[in-house]
Amino acid sequence: MSLENVKYDAFISYRHCELDSFISENLHKRLENYKMPGSVIKKLDPKKTRIDRVFRDEAELPLSSNLSDPITEALDNSEFLIVICTPRLPQSQWCKKEIETFVETHDREHVLLVLAEGEPEESFPDILMHEEVKVKDENGNDVTVRVDREPLAADCRGDNNRERLKAMDNVVLKLCAAIFNLNYDDLKQRHRERQIRRRLAIMSLALMIVTVFAVTCLVFMLKISSQNRVISDKYAGAMASASEKLLSQGLRLDSIYAVRNVLPDDPEKGYNKDAYNALVSGIAPYEIENSYFPTGSFRIPKDIRGFSISDDGRYALINCDGYFSVTDIGSETGICHINTGYSDQAVIDPSGVVYIDDDMHVRRLDPVTGDDMVLSDQGFYLSYVKGKGLTLVFSDNGIAGYRGSEEVFFIDFAASMDPDNMIDDPDYSVENIYISKDSDHAAFVLSGLSDSWTGVVDISEGKLKKCFKREAMDSMIAATDGEMLYVCYEKEDDLFGNAGNSVVEAADLNNGREYSCDIPGTGFYEMTVSDNGILIVSDRLAYVIESSLEIRSTITGYMDAVCCFDCGEGYVIVDALGRMFSDNVFSDANRTYGLYGHDDNAIISNAIYSDDSFFVKYVDVNRIVKYSPMEPVYEAMNDIGDADPFTGYPDEEVNTDLLEGIEDISVFYAAASDDGKYIAVSSNDGVLYIFDAVSKKMLKEIYNTDIVLLHGAFPYIEAAEAYILEKRVFDKDFNIISRLPNGELAAVGRDKKSVVLRSVYSSDTYYKIDLLSYDEMLKKADGLLGDYVPDKDICEKYQLLTEK
């Protein structure tokens, strides 16, 4: 869509990172929703009394030397440019290009800065800190000099998002003052007066409400019990929402706890149906398909930067700002806490933690005994080889391999390399390390001031297998299977400044044969190799490539990949929304790939796939959740077993002519319950109606467009006091309490408590499922909870009851 005719009051330029995006999104909403005080509006042009349109690109755009047409048009048609400044902004070439483009056609005074993090000298773009102006020299000649500038900036820094949002009130006032050419102090004073009037109005309204409520209580004292039930029901409904939120973050026991305490032991006393539905979701009693299920969690520090899990799954190493800690996952006990300026450089192996201290010494710490020893006097990068119990240590002059406190091998750059390919820059940095699937080889990418090196280390032999020297390349990554070395990097711009492609190279480590190909896209940051091909991943695009470098398949649709893995049948990518995307090579559809209970509102910041389990860190949740494959709750059968084939499919259509009000319903399909009490009618407008089969009167309207009757299956399961319609389980009042897995209803158990489903994937596979009654569901919940009580912060955040 062309933006040439769309005028914007402001254009927000920001780096697409978590904090930067958070600030820009909230600032965007507040600017467009801000209403000028009435006394200020009188001073403004009647045609312009508020900020109508603000441009903010919501998707990560590909880097290139030229801005896309829509962005350029939006910049040209924007009156002001608002720049969200953090230490990450100066690193963004895209943001720099946006600022340059705006300044070319606008006055610099129309560029407004918002300081969201860091100090001005590290966060402000250089182009706005200086300006080249023409002046006359002593001889009267025109010369260009560089003049320092102090751009207008508003400060919304804070220790957390709550403080940043609070500071944003003043930011909006400062920006509006600049945009409308108003005095900031005057606008702030008017804003404060409006807040005072609003608070007085709220207090008056609250006082009136309290007064009315007090009078009502006096008049209706006999209805107190009824009012309490309403309040309790509303609280139970709130707990149902809290339960769903907690389950979406993998906190299963917390999710069950939230609703268990608001459900009475006796169902005859009445219970909130949403709370009961949430309880059933947390228990998951009817799962028959594999999925990744939350099996536990443990507390972590708030300033986590990354984490890793020990080979035996017992300990978690948490890297934070300036320190790291080790947690016993089973007991959630903090084992140790070590301060170090190199917090990212710490790995955990079977015997302890290897880390780099402030003096660049490589040390080993036993987190249980506290023993701490120096392994090497010098090192700056670590990489752990899972399964080998080995840590690779990169130093200025070589690569060492340590197992425990023993140096297993040392690869001397000077002695081990061909002089033409020797790593001769002591200030090189490690850009990428890849450990092969069999843990026998490691591919590396090293970058110096002018050259780069790629190569392969034979870990089993403790020697360098191959090393290649080349000119420095952008975004280079490498991977190996021990026989081949694969390298991917961004292609240089052509003579016309066109970019947008990357190069994949392959080198046979045995015979030296090399070949390459171009692939569309840039920003690839991860590569892995297995029998399923070569996976190359960026935030929104991934390729699976054959060993011949031909693209076999493309994976798209995900947003911000946080984890990728080879499941044996192909590759799977997990994105920040918790969704899983495959390369479409799976032939076995019996497995459901997904995190149970997760929804797109629970954003993932970090994830690790280890031994067929996921360890997930959610944004704003100070816990790491473990998801493990959920095995089928019920064994598969070859036939319906000891059950009666379902007979609820009538030979003739259900007669609906006598149903009350049926003439006003566009009937799609009707079904009669097998106990003869009810008739369900599905309408063409997506409403499900329940009628009394005897009186013909309508009992309930269910607005759920997902429930569409396609056949006459409408059984009553006596032991559970439940009805089943289209795999939804209803209580006797026809409230939805759960749903059954995918499958065709084939039989009803003679025990009057079970149903048999035929698999949607195999006509010869059946599952028998026992439906649990209300009492049985509560007993199951109590068994899962035991003495469990959520953390204090969870109880406070969601207002959970701490006792029944």
Side-chain angles (χ1 to χ4, degrees):
M1 179 184 72
S2 175
L3 302 178
E4 59 184 358
N5 295 322
V6 180
K7 301 298 182 182
Y8 296 97
D9 297 291
F11 182 110
I12 299 180
S13 178
Y14 65 101
R15 187 73 184 269
H16 285 264
C17 303
E18 181 179 334
L19 172 61
D20 309 54
S21 296
F22 173 81
I23 295 297
S24 66
E25 179 180 357
N26 282 277
L27 183 60
H28 185 179
K29 294 178 181 177
R30 293 197 182 196
L31 285 173
E32 290 191 342
N33 291 320
Y34 180 75
K35 295 181 179 179
M36 286 287 183
S39 57
V40 173
I41 291 179
K42 298 176 182 178
K43 302 178 182 180
L44 302 177
D45 185 342
K47 297 180 180 179
K48 185 64 178 178
T49 60
R50 58 174 296 170
I51 294 177
D52 295 317
R53 296 179 67 95
V54 175
F55 184 90
R56 180 178 67 89
D57 59 306
E58 298 179 354
E60 182 72 44
L61 297 171
L63 289 177
S64 69
S65 60
N66 296 316
L67 296 177
S68 65
D69 290 340
I71 297 299
T72 302
E73 292 173 1
L75 286 166
D76 290 342
N77 294 327
S78 297
E79 184 176 357
F80 285 86
L81 176 67
I82 299 173
V83 184
I84 308 301
C85 299
T86 68
R88 294 169 293 280
L89 179 80
Q91 303 168 9
S92 172
Q93 294 300 317
W94 186 266
C95 294
K96 178 182 178 182
K97 197 70 175 179
E98 289 178 339
I99 298 171
E100 291 174 347
T101 301
F102 184 86
V103 170
E104 287 176 358
T105 57
H106 295 73
D107 190 333
R108 284 175 177 261
E109 298 302 324
H110 283 68
V111 180
L112 310 177
L113 306 186
V114 175
L115 183 59
E117 187 181 34
E119 298 301 323
E121 59 270 17
E122 63 177 337
S123 302
F124 286 178
D126 185 68
I127 186 176
L128 298 178
M129 300 296 291
H130 311 279
E131 183 179 4
E132 293 183 350
V133 297
K134 290 185 177 180
V135 298
K136 299 288 186 179
D137 62 10
E138 58 185 8
N139 297 321
N141 299 319
D142 290 333
V143 295
T144 301
V145 297
R146 193 178 190 186
V147 178
D148 292 338
R149 298 182 71 255
E150 185 175 351
L152 174 65
D155 193 342
C156 69
R157 291 174 293 179
D159 293 334
N160 51 54
N161 285 342
R162 179 178 296 179
E163 292 184 3
R164 296 183 186 105
L165 289 176
K166 184 176 180 181
M168 201 174 289
D169 289 339
N170 281 333
V171 170
V172 171
L173 293 178
K174 286 188 177 181
L175 294 178
C176 287
I179 291 173
F180 289 96
N181 195 25
L182 297 171
N183 182 279
Y184 166 70
D185 291 333
D186 184 52
L187 184 59
K188 185 175 182 181
Q189 178 64 26
R190 298 297 185 273
H191 179 74
R192 184 179 295 111
E193 292 173 356
R194 183 169 63 180
Q195 284 185 321
I196 293 174
R197 290 195 298 270
R198 182 181 300 166
R199 288 170 182 168
L200 288 174
I202 293 174
M203 290 175 62
S204 299
L205 179 61
L207 181 60
M208 181 180 66
I209 292 174
V210 170
T211 303
V212 172
F213 180 74
V215 173
T216 302
C217 289
L218 291 175
V219 175
F220 297 101
M221 288 186 61
L222 296 178
K223 295 185 178 181
I224 290 178
S225 177
S226 176
Q227 293 292 335
N228 286 340
R229 284 198 299 270
V230 172
I231 294 173
S232 297
D233 188 66
K234 289 183 177 180
Y235 177 73
M239 288 301 98
S241 298
S243 177
E244 293 172 358
K245 179 69 173 179
L246 289 165
L247 185 60
S248 74
Q249 298 170 343
L251 304 179
R252 182 194 179 201
L253 290 183
D254 302 83
S255 169
I256 296 174
Y257 183 94
V259 286
R260 174 60 185 95
N261 282 353
V262 297
L263 291 170
D265 293 336
D266 183 2
E268 297 302 323
K269 293 182 178 180
Y271 58 90
N272 183 279
K273 307 306 184 295
D274 292 334
Y276 184 55
N277 197 336
L279 181 79
V280 175
S281 296
I283 295 173
Y286 304 136
E287 289 299 312
I288 62 174
E289 296 174 318
N290 286 341
S291 61
Y292 289 96
F293 197 76
T295 55
S297 67
F298 56 93
R299 178 181 290 275
I300 56 174
K302 292 183 178 181
D303 55 346
I304 179 175
R305 298 178 63 180
F307 67 94
S308 55
I309 307 298
S310 62
D311 285 356
D312 58 7
R314 181 178 177 183
Y315 297 105
L317 172 67
I318 313 298
N319 295 98
C320 303
D321 288 327
Y323 71 95
F324 69 83
S325 63
V326 177
T327 297
D328 186 316
I329 295 176
S331 64
E332 292 195 52
T333 303
I335 303 299
C336 68
H337 179 106
I338 299 295
N339 292 316
T340 170
Y342 297 89
S343 60
D344 286 338
Q345 294 304 307
V347 298
I348 188 167
D349 66 20
S351 60
V353 178
V354 180
Y355 69 98
I356 298 176
D357 65 16
D358 288 334
D359 297 321
M360 303 293 286
H361 295 156
V362 181
R363 310 182 70 93
R364 169 175 296 282
L365 170 71
D366 186 324
V368 178
T369 65
D371 293 340
D372 196 341
M373 63 178 295
V374 175
L375 296 181
S376 173
D377 289 337
Q378 195 268 338
F380 63 87
Y381 192 89
L382 307 175
S383 180
Y384 178 62
V385 183
K386 187 176 179 62
K388 296 282 188 181
L390 190 91
T391 299
L392 299 180
V393 179
F394 287 76
S395 61
D396 291 344
N397 56 0
I399 306 171
Y402 286 89
R403 183 175 289 112
S405 57
E406 177 188 2
E407 182 180 282
V408 179
F409 63 81
F410 178 75
I411 299 172
D412 189 325
F413 289 157
S416 304
M417 295 183 178
D418 181 338
D420 293 334
N421 293 309
M422 184 182 300
I423 301 172
D424 51 10
D425 186 345
D427 295 324
Y428 74 88
S429 61
V430 179
E431 301 296 331
N432 170 240
I433 295 294
Y434 173 82
I435 307 300
S436 63
K437 295 302 178 182
D438 59 9
S439 299
D440 287 336
H441 296 84
F444 60 80
V445 175
L446 311 180
S447 178
L449 293 176
S450 59
D451 297 315
S452 295
W453 295 267
T454 59
V456 175
V457 173
D458 188 326
I459 298 173
S460 298
E461 297 292 332
K463 64 181 182 181
L464 184 69
K465 193 166 185 176
K466 203 74 174 177
C467 185
F468 301 91
K469 185 176 183 177
R470 60 178 73 212
E471 292 183 0
M473 300 290 183
D474 292 334
S475 304
M476 185 181 296
I477 53 176
T480 185
D481 57 5
E483 300 296 324
M484 301 290 296
L485 170 64
Y486 300 99
V487 179
C488 177
Y489 55 87
E490 292 184 9
K491 193 173 183 179
E492 294 183 356
D493 296 354
D494 60 23
L495 295 177
F496 302 99
N498 298 316
N501 288 340
S502 296
V503 178
V504 178
E505 296 180 350
D508 191 313
L509 299 176
N510 298 314
N511 59 31
R513 176 174 173 257
E514 299 181 23
Y515 50 100
S516 66
C517 74
D518 288 3
I519 60 172
T522 59
F524 297 101
Y525 59 83
E526 185 166 352
M527 177 187 290
T528 186
V529 182
S530 74
D531 293 339
N532 287 309
I534 308 155
L535 177 68
I536 306 176
V537 182
S538 71
D539 277 340
R540 287 170 173 78
L541 172 67
Y543 295 107
V544 178
I545 300 177
E546 303 285 3
S547 58
S548 61
L549 301 190
E550 295 180 1
I551 296 177
R552 186 180 72 202
S553 59
T554 302
I555 308 176
T556 58
Y558 61 88
M559 184 183 75
D560 297 333
V562 295
C563 182
C564 61
F565 63 96
D566 179 2
C567 69
E569 300 163 327
Y571 287 110
V572 175
I573 291 177
V574 184
D575 73 356
L577 301 182
R579 303 172 300 179
M580 296 188 179
F581 297 79
S582 72
D583 58 334
N584 300 320
V585 299
F586 304 120
S587 59
D588 180 9
N590 283 308
R591 182 159 190 164
T592 298
Y593 289 90
L595 305 180
Y596 180 82
H598 180 88
D599 64 40
D600 291 353
N601 293 319
I603 307 300
I604 297 174
S605 60
N606 303 82
I608 291 177
Y609 181 77
S610 177
D611 295 329
D612 207 22
S613 292
F614 283 102
F615 292 86
V616 174
K617 166 65 175 70
Y618 288 103
V619 174
D620 296 330
V621 179
N622 296 324
R623 300 187 73 84
I624 289 177
V625 180
K626 180 180 180 181
Y627 287 88
S628 299
M630 184 176 185
E631 298 298 328
V633 178
Y634 301 96
E635 294 183 4
M637 304 181 296
N638 295 326
D639 52 44
I640 64 174
D642 185 22
D644 294 326
F646 183 70
T647 58
Y649 301 89
D651 295 332
E652 300 179 358
E653 292 186 3
V654 176
N655 185 3
T656 61
D657 294 341
L658 300 178
L659 297 179
E660 186 177 285
I662 197 66
E663 63 275 3
D664 297 326
I665 299 174
S666 176
V667 177
F668 175 76
Y669 198 87
S673 62
D674 63 357
D675 62 358
K677 292 183 178 181
Y678 303 102
I679 295 175
V681 176
S682 183
S683 70
N684 286 308
D685 58 2
V687 181
L688 180 68
Y689 300 90
I690 305 297
F691 290 87
D692 186 300
V694 178
S695 68
K696 311 301 182 184
K697 292 183 178 182
M698 185 189 300
L699 301 177
K700 193 160 191 174
E701 299 178 41
I702 302 172
Y703 294 90
N704 189 326
T705 56
D706 291 335
I707 305 177
V708 180
L709 297 182
L710 299 177
H711 47 62
F714 191 178
Y716 175 63
I717 310 302
E718 183 178 351
E721 295 184 315
Y723 289 90
I724 297 178
L725 271 171
E726 292 302 325
K727 291 178 290 187
R728 269 72 169 186
V729 180
F730 296 81
D731 65 11
K732 58 185 179 181
D733 294 324
F734 286 95
N735 299 295
I736 300 177
I737 55 177
S738 63
R739 67 175 297 163
L740 299 176
N742 288 334
E744 179 186 350
L745 185 61
V748 176
R750 296 191 182 101
D751 54 9
K752 302 299 183 182
K753 66 176 297 183
S754 61
V755 295
V756 178
L757 297 181
R758 180 185 289 110
S759 171
V760 296
Y761 309 115
S762 173
S763 59
D764 298 328
T765 302
Y766 297 83
Y767 301 99
K768 182 181 179 182
I769 299 177
D770 289 338
L771 296 187
L772 302 182
S773 66
Y774 181 92
D775 293 337
E776 290 171 324
M777 201 71 74
L778 262 56
K779 288 180 181 178
K780 196 170 186 67
D782 292 340
L784 290 170
L785 289 173
D787 297 328
Y788 179 80
V789 176
D791 290 341
K792 181 180 179 182
D793 57 344
I794 293 290
C795 292
E796 292 178 350
K797 180 177 181 179
Y798 294 98
Q799 297 298 301
L800 306 185
L801 296 174
T802 55
E803 59 182 19
K804 193 172 179 181

mmCIF file of all heavy atoms in Angstrom, residues 668-669 682-683 686 704-711 726 728:
data_model
loop_
_atom_site.group_PDB
_atom_site.id
_atom_site.type_symbol
_atom_site.label_atom_id
_atom_site.label_comp_id
_atom_site.label_asym_id
_atom_site.label_seq_id
_atom_site.Cartn_x
_atom_site.Cartn_y
_atom_site.Cartn_z
ATOM 1 N N PHE A 668 -29.108 -26.320 11.145
ATOM 2 C CA PHE A 668 -28.080 -27.000 10.361
ATOM 3 C C PHE A 668 -28.120 -28.509 10.596
ATOM 4 O O PHE A 668 -28.073 -29.295 9.665
ATOM 5 C CB PHE A 668 -26.695 -26.456 10.720
ATOM 6 C CG PHE A 668 -25.561 -27.177 10.049
ATOM 7 C CD1 PHE A 668 -25.284 -26.958 8.714
ATOM 8 C CD2 PHE A 668 -24.765 -28.089 10.752
ATOM 9 C CE1 PHE A 668 -24.242 -27.626 8.077
ATOM 10 C CE2 PHE A 668 -23.736 -28.759 10.132
ATOM 11 C CZ PHE A 668 -23.469 -28.524 8.790
ATOM 12 N N TYR A 669 -28.197 -28.916 11.889
ATOM 13 C CA TYR A 669 -28.271 -30.338 12.226
ATOM 14 C C TYR A 669 -28.834 -30.454 13.636
ATOM 15 O O TYR A 669 -28.717 -29.536 14.451
ATOM 16 C CB TYR A 669 -26.881 -30.981 12.162
ATOM 17 C CG TYR A 669 -26.902 -32.498 12.074
ATOM 18 C CD1 TYR A 669 -27.006 -33.143 10.860
ATOM 19 C CD2 TYR A 669 -26.824 -33.271 13.234
ATOM 20 C CE1 TYR A 669 -27.035 -34.527 10.776
ATOM 21 C CE2 TYR A 669 -26.854 -34.650 13.161
ATOM 22 C CZ TYR A 669 -26.957 -35.279 11.937
ATOM 23 O OH TYR A 669 -26.993 -36.640 11.869
ATOM 24 N N SER A 682 -27.964 -27.470 16.116
ATOM 25 C CA SER A 682 -26.889 -26.600 15.659
ATOM 26 C C SER A 682 -27.428 -25.724 14.542
ATOM 27 O O SER A 682 -28.025 -26.226 13.586
ATOM 28 C CB SER A 682 -25.701 -27.428 15.159
ATOM 29 O OG SER A 682 -24.625 -26.594 14.779
ATOM 30 N N SER A 683 -27.254 -24.383 14.669
ATOM 31 C CA SER A 683 -27.802 -23.466 13.673
ATOM 32 C C SER A 683 -26.711 -23.019 12.706
ATOM 33 O O SER A 683 -25.518 -23.149 12.969
ATOM 34 C CB SER A 683 -28.413 -22.254 14.363
ATOM 35 O OG SER A 683 -27.400 -21.443 14.924
ATOM 36 N N GLY A 686 -23.985 -20.510 13.935
ATOM 37 C CA GLY A 686 -22.959 -20.895 14.897
ATOM 38 C C GLY A 686 -23.425 -21.027 16.326
ATOM 39 O O GLY A 686 -22.594 -21.155 17.228
ATOM 40 N N ASN A 704 -20.844 -20.720 20.572
ATOM 41 C CA ASN A 704 -19.502 -21.241 20.339
ATOM 42 C C ASN A 704 -19.435 -21.732 18.898
ATOM 43 O O ASN A 704 -19.951 -22.795 18.569
ATOM 44 C CB ASN A 704 -19.176 -22.381 21.314
ATOM 45 C CG ASN A 704 -17.711 -22.785 21.245
ATOM 46 O OD1 ASN A 704 -17.077 -22.747 20.200
ATOM 47 N ND2 ASN A 704 -17.161 -23.188 22.392
ATOM 48 N N THR A 705 -18.838 -20.931 18.040
ATOM 49 C CA THR A 705 -18.809 -21.263 16.613
ATOM 50 C C THR A 705 -17.954 -22.489 16.308
ATOM 51 O O THR A 705 -17.991 -23.004 15.196
ATOM 52 C CB THR A 705 -18.269 -20.068 15.803
ATOM 53 O OG1 THR A 705 -16.981 -19.692 16.304
ATOM 54 C CG2 THR A 705 -19.220 -18.884 15.901
ATOM 55 N N ASP A 706 -17.169 -22.958 17.299
ATOM 56 C CA ASP A 706 -16.360 -24.157 17.079
ATOM 57 C C ASP A 706 -17.173 -25.438 17.223
ATOM 58 O O ASP A 706 -16.710 -26.507 16.829
ATOM 59 C CB ASP A 706 -15.190 -24.194 18.068
ATOM 60 C CG ASP A 706 -14.169 -23.118 17.779
ATOM 61 O OD1 ASP A 706 -14.095 -22.685 16.611
ATOM 62 O OD2 ASP A 706 -13.459 -22.705 18.700
ATOM 63 N N ILE A 707 -18.356 -25.345 17.831
ATOM 64 C CA ILE A 707 -19.172 -26.541 18.034
ATOM 65 C C ILE A 707 -20.221 -26.608 16.927
ATOM 66 O O ILE A 707 -21.210 -25.860 16.942
ATOM 67 C CB ILE A 707 -19.866 -26.528 19.410
ATOM 68 C CG1 ILE A 707 -18.826 -26.346 20.527
ATOM 69 C CG2 ILE A 707 -20.654 -27.805 19.618
ATOM 70 C CD1 ILE A 707 -19.422 -26.258 21.909
ATOM 71 N N VAL A 708 -19.997 -27.467 15.967
ATOM 72 C CA VAL A 708 -20.925 -27.651 14.860
ATOM 73 C C VAL A 708 -21.283 -29.138 14.790
ATOM 74 O O VAL A 708 -20.405 -29.978 14.583
ATOM 75 C CB VAL A 708 -20.306 -27.195 13.527
ATOM 76 C CG1 VAL A 708 -21.300 -27.412 12.385
ATOM 77 C CG2 VAL A 708 -19.899 -25.733 13.607
ATOM 78 N N LEU A 709 -22.547 -29.444 15.001
ATOM 79 C CA LEU A 709 -22.981 -30.842 14.956
ATOM 80 C C LEU A 709 -22.874 -31.368 13.538
ATOM 81 O O LEU A 709 -23.399 -30.769 12.594
ATOM 82 C CB LEU A 709 -24.423 -30.967 15.456
ATOM 83 C CG LEU A 709 -24.697 -30.569 16.915
ATOM 84 C CD1 LEU A 709 -26.158 -30.809 17.245
ATOM 85 C CD2 LEU A 709 -23.811 -31.345 17.859
ATOM 86 N N LEU A 710 -22.198 -32.506 13.424
ATOM 87 C CA LEU A 710 -22.060 -33.136 12.110
ATOM 88 C C LEU A 710 -22.703 -34.505 12.069
ATOM 89 O O LEU A 710 -22.823 -35.102 11.003
ATOM 90 C CB LEU A 710 -20.571 -33.253 11.745
ATOM 91 C CG LEU A 710 -19.813 -31.915 11.654
ATOM 92 C CD1 LEU A 710 -18.344 -32.168 11.372
ATOM 93 C CD2 LEU A 710 -20.417 -31.031 10.578
ATOM 94 N N HIS A 711 -23.088 -35.043 13.251
ATOM 95 C CA HIS A 711 -23.760 -36.337 13.306
ATOM 96 C C HIS A 711 -24.535 -36.415 14.612
ATOM 97 O O HIS A 711 -24.556 -35.483 15.410
ATOM 98 C CB HIS A 711 -22.760 -37.492 13.190
ATOM 99 C CG HIS A 711 -21.564 -37.347 14.082
ATOM 100 N ND1 HIS A 711 -21.652 -37.313 15.450
ATOM 101 C CD2 HIS A 711 -20.252 -37.198 13.791
ATOM 102 C CE1 HIS A 711 -20.455 -37.176 15.969
ATOM 103 N NE2 HIS A 711 -19.579 -37.099 14.976
ATOM 104 N N GLU A 726 -19.823 -33.432 20.084
ATOM 105 C CA GLU A 726 -18.681 -33.008 19.269
ATOM 106 C C GLU A 726 -17.406 -32.894 20.099
ATOM 107 O O GLU A 726 -16.705 -31.887 20.071
ATOM 108 C CB GLU A 726 -18.995 -31.679 18.572
ATOM 109 C CG GLU A 726 -20.062 -31.796 17.511
ATOM 110 C CD GLU A 726 -19.721 -32.785 16.412
ATOM 111 O OE1 GLU A 726 -18.527 -32.889 16.063
ATOM 112 O OE2 GLU A 726 -20.637 -33.454 15.919
ATOM 113 N N ARG A 728 -16.876 -32.269 23.064
ATOM 114 C CA ARG A 728 -16.934 -31.437 24.260
ATOM 115 C C ARG A 728 -17.665 -32.201 25.346
ATOM 116 O O ARG A 728 -18.672 -32.869 25.080
ATOM 117 C CB ARG A 728 -17.673 -30.124 24.004
ATOM 118 C CG ARG A 728 -16.775 -28.986 23.563
ATOM 119 C CD ARG A 728 -16.285 -29.149 22.188
ATOM 120 N NE ARG A 728 -15.640 -27.942 21.671
ATOM 121 C CZ ARG A 728 -15.242 -27.848 20.425
ATOM 122 N NH1 ARG A 728 -15.403 -28.862 19.588
ATOM 123 N NH2 ARG A 728 -14.645 -26.744 19.998
#
